[in-house]
Amino acid sequence: MTPDTMLPPPLLDALQALLGPRGLLTEHADIAPWLADWRGLYQGASPAILRPGSTEELAQAVRLCAAAGVPMVPMGGNTSMVGGATPDESGRQVIVSLARLNRIRALDPLDMTLVAEAGVVLKTAQDAAAEAGCLFPLSLGAEGTATIGGVLSTNAGGNTTVRYGNARELMLGLEVVLPDGGVIHGLRRLRKDNTGYALRHLFVGAEGTLGFITAAALRMYPRAREQEVAFCAVGSEDAALSLFRRFRDRDEGAVRAFEYMSGTGVDLAVRHIEGIAWPLGARADHCVLLDLASSRPQGGLRALAESVLEEALDAGEVLDAVIAESDAQRAALWRIRDEHPEAQKREGASVKNDVSVPVSRVPELIRRSSVALTALIPGSRPVPFGHMGDGNIHMNLEQPEAMDPAVFLARAHDIMDCVNAIVRDLEGSFSAEHGIGRLKTDMMEDWRGGAELGAMRAIKSALDPLGLMNPGKVLPGPAS
Ligand code: MLT
Ligand code: ZN
């Protein structure tokens, strides 16, 4: 450890006394795995990881760090796509891991609520709900690693937003440690609670810049008793959207996920991920993964899937389709979609454009961006995929096969600007579900500048006047 990555000795002593050996890690070997983000975009430095065992311990630790002027970076499962949980290079920022706050505090199948601490892994929360015969519907590729604190702090979306909304819509109440060590005890499990400013919503999507979420009261749903998953080859982006519309018009409540994949993306999954193969007789340029679910035991989903797919086949929109016959087949079809990020990573360097547009404009987004990107970087490969049903497409770009990855990545901001210009024209957003983190702070002025950014800065300085909570994330410039 170099001297500039040491904690001030009085703070170190106080934290040691408060947190004990399990709660404070200062050995470089323990800290090192948490200094880089999942995508490998950033490499930070930090003198310590704080691992409080309770909300009260965290509150006291925050008070100590605040008094010493030490910045704090919250850490969940470290699956941020935008460097949201990585400390900067200064070596001054401590990492605050919520990993030991990992209890399900309560679960009530009558109220349909689940109270989980921030360090509970998303999959664990889903499993706990399932054991009680219920459903916690938030679902995303990183669910085996991402935590409740992380998915709320980023207002994660994922695959089921089309039906259940984002993390925010699943949140009823929060417990939060504020930048001065105060604690909001807001774990109310109420559907109606109009009692002044809805402070809980400030912390969802704030990426830890206003305080640290320590626990959440979450909304559950009845479990699915019937499910149908189909993989479809469609004729075009428009045909994919038209298929979505057909299902929505026939039974909106049945659509649990509606995911678009390009042939290029499926090709990469087949090439790099063991056990994945094209599920249809022929390769296709445009594909859809459709997931229907119902809490009714005889929901008629098979008949619905077959009849709508048949109509779409007759209309020439669907070229071929397969409906899974078992849980194993359903999982195998989902894997093709969920392994897209990993397959892209293995293929080489890629730039992610996590954008959203009104659902009706998704085909235009994909088409125009693909043309613009290949004109910008000849030989590059657009890999659009994602949540067509809610308008959020990952308009990602894979490097040209022969190009040096570093040369390609040096163009990252040109690539993002290129897509964002189209997104702006289509009245969309430059960050749909991954958040701002460190990667996109420089876009905030342009996209959210004026009164909107001014209000965000005012909130930040009111709650965190010393700027110690996850500095350098979300807000650009000095006020971050
Ligand atoms: C996903 O939906 O798989 C991720 O959010 C997208 C990505 O890796 O770009
Ligand atoms: Zn996504």
Side-chain angles (χ1 to χ4, degrees):
M1 192 186 289
T2 53
D4 64 339
T5 62
M6 297 269 288
L7 282 177
L11 176 63
L12 181 63
D13 291 346
L15 288 172
Q16 260 160 359
L18 171 69
L19 301 170
R22 280 186 75 202
L24 183 68
L25 306 178
T26 53
E27 291 299 324
H28 182 71
D30 293 328
I31 301 171
W34 303 98
L35 296 177
D37 63 307
W38 181 83
R39 292 179 61 188
L41 297 177
Y42 302 106
Q43 177 68 48
S46 176
I49 301 185
L50 279 49
R51 300 176 77 247
S54 68
T55 302
E56 191 40 42
E57 263 184 28
L58 173 58
Q60 288 188 40
V62 166
R63 255 174 248 138
L64 291 171
C65 291
V70 168
M72 295 158 269
V73 179
M75 175 67 72
N78 201 17
T79 58
S80 173
M81 299 279 192
V82 288
T86 309
D88 71 8
E89 298 79 13
S90 69
R92 291 187 59 245
Q93 304 183 343
V94 293
I95 295 171
V96 178
S97 163
L98 284 302
R100 288 176 66 212
L101 298 185
N102 61 359
R103 288 180 312 133
I104 305 274
R105 290 194 196 165
L107 192 151
D108 190 325
L110 186 56
D111 287 340
M112 281 291 189
T113 55
L114 165 69
V115 179
E117 293 185 341
V120 170
V121 169
L122 174 55
K123 178 78 171 61
T124 308
Q126 293 169 351
D127 291 347
E131 266 168 45
C134 303
L135 172 76
F136 181 60
L138 190 70
S139 174
L140 37 92
E143 64 197 19
T145 313
T147 58
I148 292 299
V151 296
L152 285 166
S153 293
T154 54
N155 189 24
N159 302 332
T160 56
T161 299
V162 63
R163 168 104 156 244
Y164 300 103
N166 297 309
R168 182 187 303 283
E169 279 81 38
L170 299 169
M171 182 276 298
L172 297 170
L174 289 184
E175 181 184 86
V176 181
V177 171
L178 294 170
D180 65 358
V183 180
I184 295 183
H185 295 283
L187 287 175
R188 292 182 285 271
R189 296 169 292 135
L190 307 172
R191 301 297 160 100
K192 290 188 171 176
D193 177 26
N194 288 339
T195 49
Y197 302 141
L199 292 179
R200 61 192 182 280
H201 284 295
L202 269 183
F203 302 97
V204 176
E207 303 183 35
T209 59
L210 300 177
F212 298 156
I213 295 172
T214 51
L218 301 164
R219 203 174 160 169
M220 297 194 296
Y221 282 82
R223 77 181 163 88
R225 292 187 178 80
E226 198 184 340
Q227 187 187 17
E228 297 293 346
V229 173
F231 187 100
C232 318
V234 292
S236 63
E237 301 89 345
D238 290 295
L241 187 62
S242 159
L243 183 64
F244 173 64
R245 189 173 184 173
R246 283 177 191 277
F247 275 103
R248 209 188 45 189
D249 288 354
R250 281 282 285 278
D251 189 351
E252 181 174 26
V255 181
R256 180 178 166 269
F258 193 94
E259 298 281 306
Y260 172 86
M261 286 161 283
S262 70
T264 315
V266 179
D267 284 340
L268 293 182
V270 170
R271 182 177 313 161
H272 293 290
I273 310 291
E274 219 187 295
I276 290 187
W278 271 93
L280 301 170
R283 184 195 176 282
D285 286 336
H286 307 278
C287 308
V288 161
L289 184 79
L290 165 74
D291 191 326
L292 305 174
S294 169
S295 59
R296 280 175 282 148
Q298 264 107 38
L301 295 183
R302 185 66 179 214
L304 174 73
E306 283 173 356
S307 92
V308 174
L309 286 173
E310 223 168 275
E311 275 172 27
L313 269 161
D314 289 347
E317 291 164 2
V318 168
L319 309 175
D320 196 3
V322 58
I323 303 178
E325 297 292 349
S326 64
D327 282 347
Q329 283 184 13
R330 281 187 270 280
L333 293 182
W334 260 112
R335 229 179 129 227
I336 302 172
R337 159 64 187 88
D338 278 343
E339 292 288 1
H340 266 55
E342 184 61 32
Q344 270 199 276
K345 201 171 168 180
R346 292 190 195 173
E347 176 72 7
S350 65
V351 171
K352 291 183 189 294
N353 292 289
D354 165 42
V355 298
S356 59
V357 293
V359 176
S360 59
R361 328 264 340 233
V362 167
E364 195 180 342
L365 166 75
I366 298 174
R367 264 195 314 272
R368 282 174 61 183
S369 303
S370 300
V371 171
L373 287 170
T374 40
L376 182 73
I377 304 196
S380 66
R381 294 160 288 166
V383 187
F385 68 95
H387 323 294
M388 181 175 240
D390 66 41
N392 170 201
I393 292 294
H394 301 296
M395 199 55 239
N396 297 356
L397 189 68
E398 195 73 38
Q399 65 165 91
E401 281 181 75
M403 192 181 259
D404 176 347
V407 172
F408 176 72
L409 289 177
R411 307 287 309 276
H413 276 263
D414 296 340
I415 292 167
M416 291 191 270
D417 288 349
C418 170
V419 172
N420 284 343
I422 295 162
V423 169
R424 192 187 291 275
D425 197 39
L426 298 176
E427 299 175 8
S429 171
F430 69 107
S431 184
E433 63 173 0
H434 295 169
I436 302 300
R438 182 165 161 184
L439 184 66
K440 296 188 175 178
T441 50
D442 64 339
M443 299 176 193
M444 286 292 275
E445 190 70 58
D446 187 27
W447 284 79
R448 297 287 177 262
E452 201 169 352
L453 190 54
M456 289 192 212
R457 286 193 197 281
I459 291 168
K460 170 76 174 171
S461 52
L463 287 181
D464 182 21
L466 303 176
L468 297 178
M469 305 307 260
N470 211 6
K473 315 291 167 38
V474 181
L475 298 180
S480 67

